[in-house]
Amino acid sequence: MIPWEAGKTEYNEDEAAGMLGLSVEELRVLVREQFAQDETEADIPVPTFRHIDLLMLKMLAQREAVS
């Protein structure tokens, strides 16, 4: 379960990583591996994450942990 902050709709990279139980670098790798289609997209920063983004990343992180 993700511990949402009441009334907050967006989370920065540090907050998102903490909520997912990942380091910032692990979050960046997860996003890069799952969503970057080529090298030019690999280093594009994601300034904020919404609730749905965190839910999706949590599922992907759990799936990778099982593999």
Side-chain angles (χ1 to χ4, degrees), residues 2-64:
I2 299 175
W4 306 119
E5 291 184 37
K8 189 164 183 146
T9 59
E10 292 186 336
Y11 300 86
N12 65 34
E13 192 175 53
D14 291 325
E15 294 168 324
M19 293 174 77
L20 296 171
L22 303 172
S23 69
V24 171
E25 185 56 36
E26 290 171 324
L27 174 62
R28 289 177 182 168
V29 168
L30 179 64
V31 169
R32 191 169 39 244
E33 287 177 348
Q34 296 297 324
F35 302 105
Q37 294 180 2
D38 59 41
E39 291 297 317
T40 60
E41 295 177 345
D43 293 323
I44 297 173
V46 178
T48 58
F49 296 87
R50 296 169 295 159
H51 292 135
I52 191 68
D53 301 327
L54 296 175
L55 286 172
M56 182 173 51
L57 289 167
K58 179 86 172 172
M59 289 186 297
L60 291 169
Q62 289 174 337
R63 186 179 78 186
E64 283 192 4

